[in-house]
Amino acid sequence: MTSQTTIHLTINGRDHSLNVEPRVTLLDALRDRLDLTGTKKGCDHGQCGACTVHVDGERVLACLTLAAQVEGREITTIEGLAGADGTLDAVQAAFLEQDAFQCGYCTPGQIMSAVACIREGHANSDDEIREYMAGNLCRCGAYPNIVAAVRQAALEVVS
Amino acid sequence: MTVHNIRHADSRHGDASDGAVGGRLSRVDGPAKITGAAKYAFEQQLDGLAHAVMVEATIAAGTVRAIDTRAAETTPGVLLVLTPDTIMEIKGASDWLGNPPTQKTYSPLARTVTYSGQHIAAVVAETFEQAVAAAALIEVSYDETPAIVDLSDPKAGDGIPIDAMTKEWGDAEAAFAAAPVRICAAYNTQREYQAAMEPHGLIARWQGEELTIWEPSQWLDGMARTYAEWFGVPFENVRLVSPYIGGGFGSKALALAHSAVAAASAKMLGRPVKLVLTRPQNFTSYGGRAATRQTVTIGAGRDGKIQSIVHRGVNETAVDGMWVEPLASVTSIMYATPNFSSKQNVVRVNTVVPGAKRAPGENPSAFGIECAIDELAHEVGIDPLEIRLRNYAEQDPEAKKAWSTRQLREAFASGAERFGWSKRSPKPRSMRDGHQLIGWGVAAGTYPVRRAYGEAIVRILADGSVEVESSSIDMGQGTYTILAQTAAETVGVAADDVVVKLGDSRYARAGVAGGSRLAGVMTGAVYKAATSALDQLVGLAISDPRSPFHALQANTLVVANGRLRSPRGDGPDVSIAELLASVGRDRIEAAGDTMPANSTAEDRYKNYTTIATSIPHTEGNYSRHSWCAHFIEVRVDEDFGTVRVSRVVSALDSGRLYNPKLAESQWKGGIIMGIGQALLEEGIVDRRHGRIVNNNLADYLVPTNADIPDIEVISVGIPDLHSSVLGGKGVGELAIVGVAPAIANAVFHATGKRVRDLPITLEKLI
Amino acid sequence: MRDFSYVRANSIEAARKAAALPGAMLLAGGTTLVDLAKCGVAQPETVVDITHLKGLDTISVDASHATLGALAKMSHVADHAGIKSHFPAVSEALWQAASAQLRNMATVGGNLMQRTRCPYFRDPSNFSACNKREPGSGCSAIGGVTRGHAVLGTSQACIAMYPGDLATALVAFDATVHLGQRVLKVDDFFLLPGDTPEREHDIRAGEMITAIEIPGSAAARRSTYLKVRDRQSYEFAAARAAVGLELEADGRTIRDLRVALGGVATKPWRARAVEEALKGKVLDEDTVRKASGLAMEGAVDHGANHYKIELAPRVVARAILKLGETA
Ligand SMILES: Cc1cc2nc3c(=O)[nH]c(=O)nc-3n(C[C@H](O)[C@H](O)[C@H](O)COP(=O)(O)OP(=O)(O)OC[C@H]3O[C@@H](n4cnc5c(N)ncnc54)[C@H](O)[C@@H]3O)c2cc1C
Ligand code: SF4
Ligand code: FES
Ligand code: FES
């Protein structure tokens, strides 16, 4: 039984139509079908946060989301975060400045998570940032710098 | 398409001097990484790409009786099912030392199973989903035999003595027997995994006899050699591309069984094939750190002066592969002792061959000796920092050579000062905050300076920009950035005007990025190539009749900020671009390498594709090492036994830092991995099945952001020109060494309980 | 993952009907379902997507009770001001569960339905014996790696720990599950493994969780949730306790106490023996620690999980003492 269906996804403000089986996850749709490889696959089971994207403005894991399930929702990936003219989001700029990454593989997920963390109002103290960023593993161990970057960006976003 | 060569106009922070060697330039590959534009190796989109998945053995020992592939083969989208019987013939390849293969052919799919998780079949399909679904339908039957599951298995025995690991001087046994103070304890570390966030995987594509492999790699030339030998094609026919690596930590230096399967299936199908290991497969397709057991025996005077160290170590290895984790590497050099003895065995168990994980050898070794000296300090009633100073090794006790540089005393002093060590109350269990017992621990670490030769190409282009090419790699250590800084400073241009191209085996060759050697090797090679490019540039400017400097009759010129002028400031002042235009050149190119002058082509090949030519750290008159001291505070909940690290101050001597911003990040990363090792990480084996059951990121616990406090790192290094051309030692591995013992010592101080068996989990403390 | 067909339900009725068909499964946040489908544990033929149903995600709270729509997200409930003030233990249980991303996906209905994290259950290709997955096939965990397994409520057939945080808080406060026609106490909704570990909930074909209701009480208002684990975050509990406390006017004598445990039992575990032992007593550390030991009555360990028997009463005691301190 292979049941291809056509689905329509709105990603970074653009519409895409795809012919996929219902079992295809949003993550594999992005990476294997749409050449949007900024969203990373670290575990494929909700255990690492590398695949974090925004759906209707909230951070979620693309590896446990079926592509079909998010038809009609607004999807934002790391590729859609900077302004159309290439202006970096405050969080992106802070990550660069604070050296909040090394290998860079967890980084798109960290940044998407951080943007949402600030938006949710969960970036009020270093401890709160640590807790609310705990769903994004970083094996390079950039954590202290990530906290610094989120703290910095949170202040910039407010002011 | 494959290399990151975007110019990063906004990648700089701080002042212009940041672009020089030693400056705090932000990562030049940063903008690509934070926007999602950086394409990692197996993210290339190729026409006709097919997807492969591996099928693994579910027994730990025995033989495969039959593999039923019928259901898989008829699944929609399936293109190929590979078993040991159907995969094409692959030749044996030499090992990483360059030793010729022991077998004529190599079967990446096993008939004889020696560990659970070993690859036995593979499925290739049109889509990833189809391949996964088909793989689940493959039925395998086995003849199972008893397995040796780990070091504590009664069947494991004492193992094989590794004579090369024996180190002895004086009469350690006799001195121990005569010592007024004697301590003896056993220390264990468990199987740990690199667990890089990017899984292993690759895309393989054949075009005729030419093979292109997009694979995250710490060693392009070494892996290209393996592929060439496997498939019987010339080395030049294999191109390895690895523009970014999502973390390696020692795991991504070799072509592995699944790599061979992907390349073979691409050849058999005549289509490019992508194969990415699942997270669980990343626990069994290559080795993590071997489990180790050590006993450390110290004989000392009442004054805490060590008179004898007797050390015995064991590490596990595979049934069909050898891994020696050098367990005495720190034991034998950290402290001055007139008498020393160390011996090591390896024990074969049914596991994948263990491999390199950050600071192999030094890491477990330091856990033994740095806990043992803490035990000695407690025994004789001397402060743990003081006892380390009393036994300070003024020269390498083993090699009996002077240290090239050893800023360990400075590390102890500045770390202790920042941490506030003098306020430590000496008695265990004497500091608390509510329900939390507080403990302070110290430990030292070290890592040898591994050296090798490297080569690079530096070009000065018509627009005045500089291009650096090397087949070395950046997995987060900052190679792109420090090579840009090196070339910028050497040629005399801004770092923004340098483009560094890495991660393609078509570029100038490079050896393995392991053992923290790459920065020293490559800055040296780039420095040489850039110097020679600069010489050419200046030579042209002086001697070419069309040059505006020709009339000046100068014998040298100054190049700075991309402009040339005479040292005295008289005469013309022109940009590099203008100069090149005036002499009618579109580029200057120089190759540079640090190989001995009379090296043959064969020497070079061997140098870059094996590790046989690395230079001993005790070569000549000096013993070369990086050093560090960690001061760590833990909080242990008195009811729950949970340990949280609440403060870390580490002072480190990596020699000269090419870019302190990036070096500090790597140090912190090493410390964090050490926190994981101390408190969380352990491959747990089901003893009946010989299988790792926590083979995923929810059950194999690596630290989260919430587990990590602020970490203060202090650089105490000075340039060490015996270690590298520009004075750096090693950065990447150093900082993890000594973290686990510092934490174990802090836990003892907090609780009065000595946990000698990592990780220190709550049940060991309640 | 096996291929399946996908239907999007546009009413509760349609969802119920579709889900009643053989091989059909509801898809809420998908954080259990998609995960287990990838593991080969869940093999739905049809996935019935209920995430687009309107009106099932409301959260309403007043002093007398809270009603959580089945599709309310864990994160939204955790951050809800009314939940925080009237049911702090519920909010704390939720924000300490999983990760921020998972909580944005996962629904409270799905949360009650999540399956055990027993590694043998989750790996059918390596471990064929699992009574929960394949009734009668045996239990791979017994005699194996048991560090995370239950010590309370186990049977010969299964020792799997129920991992959910929310339900632990819910049973402490006598919450109910609305299944359309039927309304069950959370305590009754979860079943002990006994001889039928494959049946975890009292839910019938064609039934669907529509809401969770939590009665308000003084104990719920003064409540807390304590979760102990190896890692500081993003991990299931080694032991956890939801506790609610009401004191007499003297500010020392315990009038009402609610204690529920998790991380140690096969279902959310109400520790009534502890409650009874302490009601009417003056709250002091010794009394509380002694009574907390009663939580482990009948506990049986399987080697590596022995520490839970020591740990859980301490977690209970500390949670109660913490509430006692917050006057
Ligand atoms: C890495 C990881 C860590 C986690 N850590 C924690 C943790 O620390 N604490 C914790 O509590 N949880 C944790 N979870 C589990 C998570 O909370 C659950 O997976 C989640 O709550 C399930 O909700 P869902 O909406 O995603 O359910 P789904 O996956 O959509 O559904 C789960 C099951 O319930 C059924 N179902 C869904 N909705 C209904 C309904 N309304 N009526 C009847 N049946 C229904 C589905 O058919 C399915 O069988 C973790 C999960 C992951 C992946
Ligand atoms: S404990 Fe339960 S879930 Fe785990 S293997 Fe045994 S029967 Fe299966
Ligand atoms: S890939 Fe989605 S959480 Fe790891
Ligand atoms: S930067 Fe490498 S995993 Fe986070």
Side-chain angles (χ1 to χ4, degrees), chain C residues 39 100 105-107 114 156 169 193 229 239 241 282 300 315:
Chain C
C39 294
M105 306 167 72
T107 63
Q114 70 178 291
Q156 303 278 314
R229 42 188 162 175
V282 169
V300 181
V315 178

Side-chain angles (χ1 to χ4, degrees), chain B residues 211 443 725:
Chain B
L211 173 62
V725 175

Side-chain angles (χ1 to χ4, degrees), chain B residues 637 644 686 688 702 763, chain C residues 120 140 147 231-232 318:
Chain B
D637 190 289
R644 301 288 182 252
D686 180 298
R688 303 156 307 170
V702 303
E763 64 265 53
Chain C
Y120 301 97
S140 292
R147 184 170 187 262
R231 196 154 80 171
Q232 178 70 27
R318 281 276 289 276

Side-chain angles (χ1 to χ4, degrees), chain A residues 100-107 110 137-142 146, chain B residues 196-198 245-247 249 475:
Chain A
F101 57 96
Q102 293 175 42
C103 79
Y105 198 79
C106 73
T107 311
Q110 300 278 4
L137 302 182
C138 174
R139 189 55 161 166
C140 294
I146 291 170
Chain B
M197 294 314 299
E198 178 196 42
I245 297 103
F249 314 112
M475 53 182 165

Side-chain angles (χ1 to χ4, degrees), chain B residues 204-224:
Chain B
R205 181 182 68 190
W206 287 91
Q207 288 166 309
E209 289 297 287
E210 308 239 319
L211 173 62
T212 305
I213 301 280
W214 287 268
E215 183 170 18
S217 167
Q218 294 180 231
W219 190 14
L220 302 186
D221 288 326
M223 286 169 61

Side-chain angles (χ1 to χ4, degrees), chain B residues 332-355:
Chain B
S332 62
I333 62 164
M334 189 57 89
Y335 299 108
T337 176
N339 302 286
F340 184 87
S341 162
S342 174
K343 295 197 167 113
Q344 185 171 340
N345 283 13
V346 299
V347 169
R348 292 195 187 278
V349 307
N350 288 92
T351 171
V352 62
V353 194

Side-chain angles (χ1 to χ4, degrees), chain C residues 197-220:
Chain C
E198 72 282 7
R199 278 203 71 215
E200 293 176 344
H201 308 98
D202 181 358
I203 189 167
R204 302 170 187 164
E207 279 184 334
M208 174 178 140
I209 301 174
T210 52
I212 295 167
E213 196 174 322
I214 325 170
S217 62

